[in-house]
Amino acid sequence: MTFEARELSPDRSVRDLFGAELRRYRERAGMSLRRLADVVNYSKSQLARIEAAESLPYDDLPAKLDACFGTGELFARLHALAKREPFPDKYCRVIGEIESKATTIKEYASATIPGLLQTRALAEESLRLGNPYASDAEIETLVQARIDRQALLDKPKPPRCWFILDEAVLRRPVGEAGVMRRQMSALVEAGARAHLTIQVLPFAAGGHAEAGGSLMLYTLPHQPLRAYEEGSHSGTIIEDQNDVTIRRENYDLLRAMALSPRDSAAMIRVAMEDWTPCEPPLT
């Protein structure tokens, strides 16, 4: 079967740019993937995935590519940038191509407050938990990238957003009590905005099909509905419309099981009071 090269979008991410440059220099040198694989001691399938921006190479490959093509430190520098990219893998496509253009965003969150609603303090605490070996500068880059996403909620014509929060995200501490209290206050304020609706799915609702992960549904102009499911370390864009329909039905059921927006705001206020830092005992 003939291999058909995937069309690349080098302006999408550094990872895509790495793949596009790899293909450009390989084709300029008149080398097939198999021939390049022999030269750099990689498998053809590995190189194909790297060219398609589906994976990053191991740390030894960029230097081999620079030596092979005589490109100085081009691939080494691109590789260093790609590893620090705030939104790697498929999530970069979700942020850059889908979320930023959506007219409607619907999200169910079971583990943490959605990034679009997080305060800076909660974002920092969450990202430190997920990146325990990152430097302060790397964490700050990730935090700022997350906060920058929220600008779409303040556009002149912002997307209509609907958030369903599992009760667990109100109760599980992330950082100190003060961080959680300020986050609950921010949720109350967000829920009062005309284009945002926040509902809480209480523990009493029981089990459901989307338990344990996060689900996003995106409506874009003149395009079919897209779904995105995310776990703690991976995410999947879903475009097959039969599969999207299943997720949409799951979301509709969650919305029916959740508290009303008014009752949800009341529960969030109760959680906010529960997160009031305790005063030290008098001595």
Side-chain angles (χ1 to χ4, degrees):
M1 184 174 66
T2 303
F3 171 77
E4 294 186 7
R6 168 183 173 273
E7 182 179 351
L8 297 175
S9 301
D11 58 342
R12 176 187 296 165
S13 69
V14 182
R15 182 177 302 216
D16 280 83
L17 179 58
F18 189 103
E21 289 295 275
L22 173 56
R23 180 179 297 172
R24 183 166 73 92
Y25 278 97
R26 177 179 62 77
E27 292 179 344
R28 177 185 291 182
M31 300 178 73
S32 65
L33 276 171
R34 186 175 299 280
R35 173 58 182 150
L36 180 60
D38 291 338
V39 172
V40 298
N41 195 28
Y42 259 60
S43 73
K44 177 184 174 182
S45 61
Q46 282 178 308
L47 290 177
R49 289 194 297 272
I50 293 166
E51 272 199 5
E54 294 175 356
S55 65
L56 271 179
Y58 296 119
D59 289 347
D60 66 327
L61 181 63
K64 293 180 178 180
L65 294 175
D66 284 325
C68 176
F69 299 127
T71 47
E73 297 182 348
L74 171 66
F75 288 101
R77 290 174 177 173
L78 287 177
H79 185 240
L81 289 172
K83 289 200 299 183
R84 296 197 300 269
E85 205 162 30
F87 301 121
D89 305 322
K90 294 179 180 179
Y91 201 45
C92 186
R93 181 183 171 204
V94 174
I95 298 298
E97 297 183 18
I98 300 176
E99 182 178 271
S100 63
K101 300 174 184 177
T103 57
T104 301
I105 299 173
K106 298 178 179 179
E107 180 169 355
Y108 164 68
S110 68
T112 188
I113 303 295
L116 288 174
L117 299 177
Q118 287 184 6
T119 63
R120 179 176 288 273
L122 189 85
E124 181 175 348
E125 295 287 351
S126 298
L127 289 165
R128 285 193 183 280
L129 289 171
N131 301 273
Y133 302 109
S135 67
D136 289 346
E138 290 171 330
I139 292 296
E140 178 55 31
T141 297
L142 294 171
V143 170
Q144 190 58 51
R146 182 166 295 183
I147 297 302
D148 287 346
R149 284 176 57 204
Q150 299 174 6
L152 69 86
L153 301 180
D154 297 316
K155 295 193 304 184
K157 291 185 178 180
R160 179 70 173 90
C161 297
W162 205 300
F163 299 96
I164 301 175
L165 311 181
D166 195 284
E167 185 178 349
V169 309
L170 310 182
R171 305 297 184 185
R172 180 178 295 110
V174 179
E176 297 179 350
V179 172
M180 293 298 296
R181 179 178 172 83
R182 290 189 292 274
Q183 178 64 69
M184 296 304 107
S185 177
L187 288 179
V188 172
E189 293 178 8
R193 303 180 70 177
H195 62 289
L196 300 181
T197 298
I198 297 177
Q199 289 183 262
V200 175
L201 184 70
F203 291 140
H208 56 83
E210 296 297 328
S214 295
L215 170 66
M216 280 73 86
L217 299 172
Y218 297 101
T219 302
L220 283 75
H222 314 298
Q223 295 186 38
L225 186 68
R226 309 264 185 84
Y228 178 72
E229 286 185 329
E230 188 174 46
S232 58
H233 298 290
S234 63
T236 303
I237 298 172
I238 301 169
E239 297 180 278
D240 180 274
Q241 288 304 293
N242 290 327
D243 293 334
V244 171
T245 296
I246 293 172
R247 272 63 175 192
R248 179 179 57 77
E249 291 175 351
N250 289 346
Y251 191 89
D252 289 344
L253 181 57
L254 289 174
R255 188 160 55 182
M257 296 164 64
L259 300 176
S260 70
R262 184 188 298 272
D263 290 342
S264 295
M267 177 176 278
I268 294 170
R269 289 191 183 94
V270 169
M272 181 171 64
E273 293 304 317
D274 290 342
W275 287 116
T276 300
C278 296
E279 296 290 336
L282 297 176
T283 57

